[in-house]
Amino acid sequence: MNEEETRKAIMPPLGIVEPHAPLLRVPSDEQLLYKIMSAENLLRSIASSYIHFNRVDSYTDFAGADPHDGKQLPRDEEANARAKFERAPDYSAANYYDQSRARTYACCFSTENSDFIWKNYANNSDKGKICVVLAFGSLRATLNQTLAPGNAGLEYNGMRCHQIFSINYGMVEYVDRATHQANAPHLPNPIVYTYLKDKRKFADEKELRISLSTFGTGQFALKDGRMMQFPPSLHLAFDYRAAMADSTIQEILYGPNSDADFLKAEFHKLGISTKEGHPT
């Protein structure tokens, strides 16, 4: 590492469980969550025991994706760009929010089993789509235990690293992106932008979001001196069979155009029972 890289490298802060809960609207433990997935993606997730998270600035690869996910609001941009750090006068709050966004990941659920989610998600699958129904309180407890200090590590390109991601849960707030302002009277925590979406386009999602995020300034150095990069997606360990056994997963529904014979056979191999289900 050269002198400039050494100066910018920092010791990564360890991840925290729900540090921003007071800033977010968290539903009751009894709330059911609905996750629409392609059959292929669900089978891969069960076999490899993970929940898939996308970096919030990378939602551009499917119809209806939100390219502004987690982004500063238009009315906030000018003031954010003017606000500078005392010890880094060339680095603005806008830079900080952009870098935080590029280090924030989300997994999205709906709080309603609606026609909207069945129509708009997990399309273009050869084997059809699936809805996983989960109990929020149990899911939250499971993931918080997984990421509790001392329980988790981060694997990066085959290396074991400190666990740097904090987990948060909250209902998305749907606003008019063109007119809403979040940085008055004070600059917001970056997590606020992660949980804002345009109501004209996305209000029907009724989204509960789980986010993984880390410190938005500086660079994270690996032991070999290289700087950590943040990939477009990451996987969080999750045991689906255990979740079914303890009723974190309440049921699995499959859509009317799914390959029922294939799905029944594959789920049977995994010891999982399903039933046909689709909102009418």
Side-chain angles (χ1 to χ4, degrees):
M1 251 186 323
N2 60 37
E3 183 177 350
E4 179 67 11
E5 290 173 329
T6 302
R7 184 181 66 83
K8 292 182 179 179
I10 62 172
M11 177 65 71
L14 298 181
I16 304 171
V17 171
E18 298 194 58
H20 304 310
L23 301 176
L24 303 172
R25 183 163 60 93
V26 182
S28 70
D29 285 350
E30 291 70 35
Q31 176 66 56
L32 292 180
L33 304 179
Y34 302 90
K35 179 71 172 178
I36 302 292
M37 304 173 67
S38 71
E40 297 90 335
N41 282 341
L42 177 59
L43 292 171
R44 279 192 290 268
S45 298
I46 295 173
S48 298
S49 300
Y50 66 79
I51 294 178
H52 183 86
F53 283 74
N54 282 318
R55 206 175 67 203
V56 296
D57 64 350
S58 65
Y59 282 110
T60 58
D61 58 350
F62 61 93
D66 183 5
H68 304 296
D69 198 306
K71 192 175 183 180
Q72 301 165 67
L73 299 170
R75 288 197 63 187
D76 291 357
E77 290 176 348
E78 183 178 351
N80 289 349
R82 289 199 308 267
K84 303 296 178 66
F85 286 78
E86 182 177 353
R87 296 185 179 181
D90 294 330
Y91 191 80
S92 68
N95 299 138
Y96 171 60
Y97 291 129
D98 285 343
Q99 186 152 285
S100 295
R101 183 186 181 217
R103 297 174 175 182
T104 298
Y105 296 79
C107 184
C108 308
F109 305 79
S110 179
T111 54
E112 293 185 3
N113 185 12
S114 65
D115 284 329
F116 179 87
I117 63 173
W118 282 97
K119 178 181 178 181
N120 288 280
Y121 301 133
N123 294 315
N124 302 317
S125 166
D126 291 336
K127 300 299 183 181
K129 58 182 68 177
I130 292 293
C131 180
V132 183
V133 184
L134 305 103
F136 170 65
S138 297
L139 178 63
R140 181 187 189 186
T142 297
L143 299 185
N144 284 356
Q145 179 65 25
T146 298
L147 292 177
N151 284 358
L154 176 67
E155 185 174 312
Y156 180 83
N157 290 344
M159 291 181 287
R160 185 79 169 178
C161 305
H162 294 296
Q163 201 297 95
I164 61 174
F165 289 103
S166 293
I167 190 167
N168 284 283
Y169 309 81
M171 297 296 300
V172 167
E173 180 183 357
Y174 297 98
V175 301
D176 185 337
R177 273 192 57 84
T179 61
H180 190 74
Q181 187 172 4
N183 65 352
H186 307 293
L187 294 177
N189 187 290
I191 202 69
V192 170
Y193 290 125
T194 305
Y195 285 83
L196 293 178
K197 298 185 80 169
D198 189 356
K199 65 181 180 181
R200 291 174 295 180
K201 297 180 180 179
F202 303 106
D204 287 338
E205 294 175 339
K206 303 293 191 295
E207 182 182 334
L208 178 284
R209 169 166 289 199
I210 304 175
S211 63
L212 298 172
S213 57
T214 191
F215 201 55
T217 60
Q219 300 295 326
F220 294 163
L222 302 169
K223 290 181 178 180
D224 61 8
R226 290 180 296 149
M227 295 297 138
M228 179 179 289
Q229 304 299 315
F230 291 83
S233 63
L234 56 77
H235 293 163
L236 176 61
F238 182 72
D239 187 334
Y240 284 79
R241 294 174 183 82
M244 292 171 197
D246 67 13
S247 296
T248 296
I249 294 178
Q250 302 271 299
E251 57 183 336
I252 296 176
L253 311 174
Y254 57 92
N257 297 319
S258 298
D259 186 336
D261 292 337
F262 168 81
L263 291 171
K264 288 177 181 178
E266 292 300 310
F267 286 130
H268 180 73
K269 293 176 186 176
L270 296 168
I272 297 167
S273 62
T274 65
K275 67 180 182 182
E276 295 184 22
H278 182 72
T280 58

